Amino acid sequence: MSTIYDVARRAGVSPKTVSRVLNSDGPVGEKTREAVEAAMRELGYVRSNAARMMRAQKSGIIGLITGAISTKNQPSTQQGLPDLYIVQGIQRALESSGMTVMIADTAGRNDRVPHLIDTFLSHRVEGLIYVAEYHQEVNLTQLPDDTPLVLANCFDARGTPAVVPDDRRLQRDLVRRLIAAGHRRIAYLSLRPDMVAGRLRPQGYREALEEAGLPFDPALLQHVDFDQPEIGPQLLWDTIDRMLQLDQPPSVLCCGNDQMAMMVYGILRSMGRKVPDEIGVAGFDNYRAIAETLYPPLTTVDLPYNAIGVRAGERLMQLISGDGRNDHSPVQVAGPVHWRASVTELRPENVISFKTPREEKQ
Amino acid sequence: MSTIYDVARRAGVSPKTVSRVLNSDGPVGEKTREAVEAAMRELGYVRSNAARMMRAQKSGIIGLITGAISTKNQPSTQQGLPDLYIVQGIQRALESSGMTVMIADTAGRNDRVPHLIDTFLSHRVEGLIYVAEYHQEVNLTQLPDDTPLVLANCFDARGTPAVVPDDRRLQRDLVRRLIAAGHRRIAYLSLRPDMVAGRLRPQGYREALEEAGLPFDPALLQHVDFDQPEIGPQLLWDTIDRMLQLDQPPSVLCCGNDQMAMMVYGILRSMGRKVPDEIGVAGFDNYRAIAETLYPPLTTVDLPYNAIGVRAGERLMQLISGDGRNDHSPVQVAGPVHWRASVTELRPENVISFKTPREEKQ
DNA sequence: CCGTTTCATGACACCGATGTCATGACACCG
DNA sequence: CGGTGTCATGACATCGGTGTCATGAAACGG
């Protein structure tokens, strides 16, 4: 691979002049510039990042640690790959800055994280982002260095800058919407309470009920460990069965996530209950491969992974450029409700208030 | 960040000696080694890859180009993220070699590929892998350089080393298994024929029929563009309806992929047909988030994305180490059938032949 | 006890790009 | 016409490791 020296020789100038052409510092004569550019083209010259970053003491590299790519071995993981969208968002946010993103995968083993961090440091990354597979608290080994770190989809006790989904608010918005559609008996099938989402989402559910003056019925809030290998479907079946046996059964089942909702579809139909006519189903995530393909399509709320990534990327760029605003509270990100055919509008008159001005004009 | 010079000064030795400790070339006295290691620990020394690769003229970096991370904007993409498993496989294959994998995302725009390649070349990557979102033919701009390139999940007309799924064989194996289970009228709902999978998989289906001496009925092989935004479900509904109206309706619906199978579940149930008692459903991909969670779980065949990645990584390492075996035929990878509850065994006696020796002992 | 080999270590150059400073050629101004 | 400023360009050092070669000391053999 050719170097600036090769280019310089071919163009009959000094290496420094080639450098000037490359970087547009200092002045370069018109003819010289053309000669240099021609030489570069002819040699297929590509500038060496290694030499460059060595001199400049800047790598232009951002390190990204994620389990996204190999999450499937973990037993209790729900759908698996959503945090890929976070990575996508990060890339989008960093694209304009000219940074190169280097992604390392934990391969499902958290004990490899220190090694990955070491590799990144040896590349002299200018910043690090750790992306968790699902909203959780983490505890990374302290970075020995002053390299900035941002946590995405997770947080820690040290107050490291973090960006997380606003589970509470998202669930509240969805349940609000269900209430607005006329539903009064809303069941909530929650994820395990040892997951952050399994705690925050039920909170949002209860908040929406309270706001609307609806009573909270403990019988309608159940935690279900639905993704257990064997017994998961049984647990879910049993929980739904009990709810439907109640004196006042629910008119809609709110599920902890879209994958649970998919399983609920099958169970309800095996029970001979029609969705949405006899009972509605709502999800959480807007995991589109599921939500849009299910039949009928699933009402759910957008867990904005993309936005989380973008925000995390932006936050990191701030830190790198020295904007050390010590915001110890994590950034919370929310997203829109997606209303689809899996829940009926019990009171059609309510629908009107949800039309946009534009639609009303038509 | 400290350098070998800092370490050397602290340990009272020369930089070269520190280098020797790092790389275990040349001999180093016991005491000296300890002093150097202590100094490194105290300073939190991490060796600079930039300087290293500059001297060694080796970057230790593999470039990976994929649309995996941002595929969702594309209109005609089926499920979206499976090629992430390919990336995982590649990482696994390259892990032991000490290479660092740098992933670049096309952000859904193929016109960015040349730019990404340039970035990689400026990092002096030692090899490149291009990962396609689904099995397809591609046409990358010729690499100006002698950097080795491997295609994963795609191939080109130039005979670039490639690793692809063996769609034909996978489908044949699945249909064989259905036939072994006693099914004789097997319908095939294919993906669009302009996709490679939409051509190869039906071929495998027909091969399995021929092998078994079963007649091929054109009415049972239909292409369905099921993931069209609006009309997809309608098209699918209509196709299934027609098939079920036949004099000899099928006993099992073989779907082009798992996502289509998920949609078929909903449609069959809305038609009042029970799965698997009245009609069986089979998928393709073993997209576990769907196949295992659907109710009943889906019989499907493993599209071995992981293995494709591993093979691609291995192939690239061969090329880098100079093993230029000019294998112009793409490597074809297959995987196992996953038999789950969505298809019944019509003739139980057949099941015996599928028991493993171990099971028979019990 | 002297010549030769082995061991432990250091001096120095080099990889490729770029920051600093110097140099020569003009142009401009009083 | 001499002094000064601008422009175009190059020489040289530098970033942090590592390959090459040299050096001095200890060990070994006869």
Side-chain angles (χ1 to χ4, degrees):
Chain A
M1 177 129 314
S2 50
T3 73
I4 43 168
Y5 294 89
D6 303 323
V7 176
R9 206 176 321 121
R10 189 176 189 107
V13 298
S14 78
K16 179 65 216 188
T17 301
V18 178
S19 172
R20 273 191 270 262
V21 172
L22 279 169
N23 300 289
S24 319
D25 347 55
V28 178
E30 189 56 34
K31 278 182 158 179
T32 316
R33 156 170 284 110
E34 276 162 20
V36 169
E37 279 167 354
M40 290 200 299
R41 241 175 294 117
E42 286 158 26
L43 291 172
Y45 170 78
V46 183
R47 111 138 113 352
S48 159
N49 242 300
R52 188 154 201 248
M53 86 176 64
M54 191 168 148
R55 185 75 244 255
Q57 299 292 53
K58 292 210 170 186
S59 62
I61 297 177
I62 298 293
L64 198 52
I65 299 181
T66 166
I69 297 169
S70 56
T71 198
K72 76 161 188 182
N73 306 325
Q74 301 218 342
S76 69
T77 312
Q78 316 105 281
Q79 64 264 54
L81 306 175
D83 44 344
L84 251 299
Y85 290 113
I86 298 180
V87 175
Q88 176 187 355
I90 292 170
Q91 293 218 342
R92 188 180 304 166
L94 297 179
E95 195 168 49
S96 58
S97 66
M99 293 280 185
T100 306
V101 179
M102 198 177 252
I103 304 177
D105 194 85
T106 60
R109 298 202 315 259
N110 282 338
D111 54 305
R112 290 199 52 215
V113 171
H115 168 69
L116 296 178
I117 290 179
D118 249 36
T119 303
F120 279 146
L121 290 180
S122 85
H123 284 284
R124 297 294 188 270
V125 294
E126 295 184 41
L128 279 172
I129 302 183
Y130 180 84
V131 180
E133 305 154 61
Y134 55 91
H135 191 175
Q136 60 188 279
E137 179 164 356
V138 297
N139 185 17
L140 295 190
T141 52
Q142 185 82 48
L143 285 185
D145 196 55
D146 55 350
T147 310
L149 168 68
V150 172
L151 304 175
N153 209 21
C154 54
F155 57 95
D156 67 8
R158 273 197 291 278
T160 305
V163 182
V164 295
D166 194 343
D167 282 301
R168 205 175 40 73
R169 177 173 156 203
L170 284 162
Q171 190 68 66
R172 193 187 61 199
D173 288 352
L174 176 58
V175 175
R176 265 188 193 158
R177 182 64 181 81
L178 296 174
I179 293 170
H183 290 273
R184 293 293 170 264
R185 293 286 288 170
I186 300 170
Y188 193 82
L189 302 168
S190 172
L191 303 175
R192 300 201 321 266
D194 57 321
M195 304 209 295
V196 174
R199 274 172 278 136
L200 293 181
R201 294 179 192 174
Q203 277 179 31
Y205 160 73
R206 295 190 61 167
E207 277 182 30
L209 293 183
E210 274 167 36
E211 272 179 15
L214 292 176
F216 167 66
D217 181 350
L220 290 182
L221 172 57
Q222 299 291 335
H223 291 274
V224 189
D225 199 0
F226 81 98
D227 57 354
Q228 283 274 325
E230 283 298 314
I231 59 174
Q234 292 181 23
L235 293 176
L236 197 53
W237 196 98
D238 179 58
T239 306
I240 294 173
D241 184 53
R242 268 183 296 145
M243 285 185 173
L244 296 182
Q245 305 276 339
L246 292 175
D247 283 344
Q248 298 189 339
S251 64
V252 55
L253 300 177
C254 235
C255 301
N257 65 27
D258 288 353
Q259 213 184 353
M260 185 196 283
M262 172 164 67
M263 202 182 271
V264 167
Y265 267 51
I267 289 172
L268 285 176
R269 280 162 164 159
S270 79
M271 290 173 167
R273 307 277 184 151
K274 286 202 175 127
V275 176
D277 305 324
E278 296 176 33
I279 186 152
V281 177
F284 195 112
D285 279 355
N286 194 33
Y287 186 8
R288 295 176 55 189
I290 290 176
E292 294 181 350
T293 311
L294 272 175
Y295 192 89
L298 181 66
T299 288
T300 186
V301 61
D302 216 354
L303 211 170
Y305 290 113
N306 246 288
I308 291 176
V310 171
R311 295 288 287 274
E314 290 172 353
R315 190 86 186 79
L316 184 63
M317 286 312 297
Q318 284 174 8
L319 290 173
I320 290 174
S321 59
D323 178 359
R325 248 189 301 133
N326 247 359
D327 237 337
H328 279 283
S329 54
V331 176
Q332 305 229 358
V333 186
V337 170
H338 289 264
W339 191 262
R340 299 200 184 92
S342 69
V343 184
T344 51
E345 302 269 359
L346 290 187
R347 301 194 307 190
E349 67 269 27
N350 274 321
V351 179
I352 295 165
S353 64
F354 284 94
K355 280 188 180 169
T356 66
R358 177 136 185 224
E359 279 170 332
E360 278 171 1
K361 274 183 206 154
Q362 295 176 341
Chain B
M1 179 129 313
S2 50
T3 73
I4 45 168
Y5 295 88
D6 302 325
V7 176
R9 205 176 318 121
R10 192 178 188 106
V13 299
S14 77
K16 179 65 216 189
T17 300
V18 177
S19 172
R20 274 193 269 263
V21 171
L22 279 169
N23 301 288
S24 319
D25 349 51
V28 178
E30 188 56 34
K31 278 182 157 179
T32 315
R33 153 170 287 109
E34 274 163 21
V36 170
E37 278 167 354
M40 292 201 299
R41 240 175 293 118
E42 284 158 28
L43 291 172
Y45 170 77
V46 182
R47 110 139 117 344
S48 159
N49 241 297
R52 183 154 207 251
M53 85 176 67
M54 194 168 141
R55 185 73 244 251
Q57 299 291 55
K58 292 213 170 185
S59 62
I61 298 178
I62 297 293
L64 199 52
I65 300 181
T66 167
I69 297 168
S70 56
T71 199
K72 75 161 189 181
N73 307 324
Q74 301 218 342
S76 69
T77 312
Q78 317 103 284
Q79 64 264 50
L81 306 175
D83 44 345
L84 251 301
Y85 290 112
I86 298 180
V87 176
Q88 176 187 355
I90 292 170
Q91 293 217 344
R92 187 179 304 165
L94 296 179
E95 194 168 50
S96 56
S97 66
M99 292 280 183
T100 306
V101 179
M102 197 177 250
I103 303 178
D105 194 87
T106 60
R109 297 201 317 258
N110 282 337
D111 55 302
R112 290 196 51 216
V113 172
H115 168 70
L116 297 178
I117 289 179
D118 248 36
T119 305
F120 278 147
L121 290 180
S122 84
H123 283 283
R124 297 291 188 272
V125 294
E126 295 184 41
L128 280 172
I129 302 183
Y130 179 85
V131 181
E133 305 154 61
Y134 54 91
H135 191 176
Q136 61 188 276
E137 179 164 358
V138 297
N139 186 18
L140 295 191
T141 53
Q142 184 81 49
L143 285 186
D145 196 57
D146 56 350
T147 311
L149 168 68
V150 172
L151 304 175
N153 210 20
C154 55
F155 57 96
D156 67 8
R158 272 198 290 279
T160 305
V163 182
V164 296
D166 194 343
D167 282 301
R168 202 174 44 73
R169 176 174 157 199
L170 284 162
Q171 190 67 68
R172 193 186 61 198
D173 287 353
L174 176 59
V175 175
R176 263 188 194 160
R177 181 66 181 82
L178 296 175
I179 293 171
H183 290 273
R184 292 294 171 263
R185 295 284 290 169
I186 300 170
Y188 193 80
L189 302 168
S190 172
L191 304 176
R192 299 202 322 267
D194 59 318
M195 303 208 296
V196 174
R199 274 173 279 135
L200 293 181
R201 294 179 193 175
Q203 277 180 30
Y205 160 72
R206 295 190 60 168
E207 277 181 30
L209 293 184
E210 274 167 36
E211 271 178 15
L214 292 176
F216 167 67
D217 181 349
L220 290 183
L221 172 56
Q222 298 290 335
H223 292 274
V224 189
D225 199 1
F226 81 99
D227 57 354
Q228 282 275 324
E230 282 298 315
I231 58 173
Q234 291 181 22
L235 292 176
L236 198 51
W237 197 97
D238 179 57
T239 304
I240 294 174
D241 185 54
R242 267 183 296 144
M243 285 184 175
L244 296 182
Q245 303 278 336
L246 292 174
D247 283 345
Q248 298 188 338
S251 63
V252 54
L253 300 177
C254 235
C255 300
N257 65 26
D258 288 353
Q259 215 184 353
M260 185 197 284
M262 172 164 67
M263 201 181 271
V264 167
Y265 267 52
I267 289 173
L268 284 176
R269 279 160 164 161
S270 80
M271 290 174 168
R273 307 277 184 150
K274 285 199 176 129
V275 176
D277 304 325
E278 296 175 34
I279 186 153
V281 177
F284 194 112
D285 278 355
N286 195 33
Y287 187 7
R288 295 177 52 187
I290 290 177
E292 293 181 351
T293 312
L294 272 175
Y295 191 89
L298 181 65
T299 288
T300 186
V301 61
D302 216 353
L303 211 172
Y305 290 114
N306 246 288
I308 291 176
V310 171
R311 295 288 286 275
E314 290 172 352
R315 189 86 187 78
L316 184 63
M317 288 312 297
Q318 284 173 8
L319 289 173
I320 290 174
S321 60
D323 179 358
R325 246 189 304 133
N326 247 357
D327 238 337
H328 278 282
S329 53
V331 175
Q332 306 229 356
V333 187
V337 171
H338 290 264
W339 191 263
R340 299 199 184 91
S342 68
V343 185
T344 51
E345 303 266 1
L346 290 187
R347 301 195 305 193
E349 68 269 26
N350 274 319
V351 179
I352 295 166
S353 65
F354 285 93
K355 279 189 180 167
T356 65
R358 180 145 181 215
E359 279 170 330
E360 278 171 1
K361 274 183 206 153
Q362 293 175 343

